[in-house]
């Protein structure tokens, strides 16, 4: 699974992307975030307020209950505003 981080999330995580192999119990976006948070204090701090983070799976906006599977691309980014 490929994780992509954008904007301030990328800065806090210290990388723009990573390849991960979460356990089989990670079945949706919320499970993935819970797993990411448990990995280290940087991840925990970055994902502490999910109201400031949006998610896309395979380049489509999704909710936290959206299912994921190995091979998916999951992107995390701040809310986008126009102007």
């Amino acid at each position: 699974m490929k994780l992509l981080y954008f904007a301030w999330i990328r800065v806090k995580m210290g990388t723009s992307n990573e390849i991960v192999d979460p356990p089989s119990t990670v079945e949706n976006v919320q499970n993935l975030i819970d797993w990411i948070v448990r990995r280290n204090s940087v991840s925990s701090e970055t994902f502490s307020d999910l109201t400031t983070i949006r998610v896309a799976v395979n380049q489509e906006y999704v909710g936290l209950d959206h299912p994921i599977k190995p091979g998916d691309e999951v992107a995390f980014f701040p809310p986008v505003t126009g102007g």
Side-chain angles (χ1 to χ4, degrees):
M1 181 176 298
K2 184 173 187 176
L3 305 182
L4 303 174
Y5 306 114
F6 293 94
W8 63 262
I9 300 167
R10 177 185 65 231
V11 172
K12 283 189 168 191
M13 292 296 285
T15 187
S16 62
N17 67 78
E18 62 179 317
I19 304 297
V20 297
D21 186 19
S24 61
T25 55
V26 173
E27 298 176 337
N28 62 37
V29 172
Q30 182 65 63
N31 296 155
L32 178 63
I33 291 171
D34 294 344
W35 179 75
I36 292 169
V37 164
R38 288 191 303 269
R39 294 189 310 162
N40 58 57
S41 61
V42 170
S43 297
S44 179
E45 179 185 332
T46 303
F47 288 87
S48 65
D49 182 2
L50 295 182
T51 64
T52 63
I53 296 176
R54 298 295 177 261
V55 182
V57 174
N58 300 323
Q59 301 181 5
E60 291 189 27
Y61 289 106
V62 299
L64 297 178
D65 61 345
H66 187 81
I68 57 172
K69 61 188 179 313
D72 280 347
E73 177 188 87
V74 183
F76 299 98
F77 47 91
V80 178
T81 59

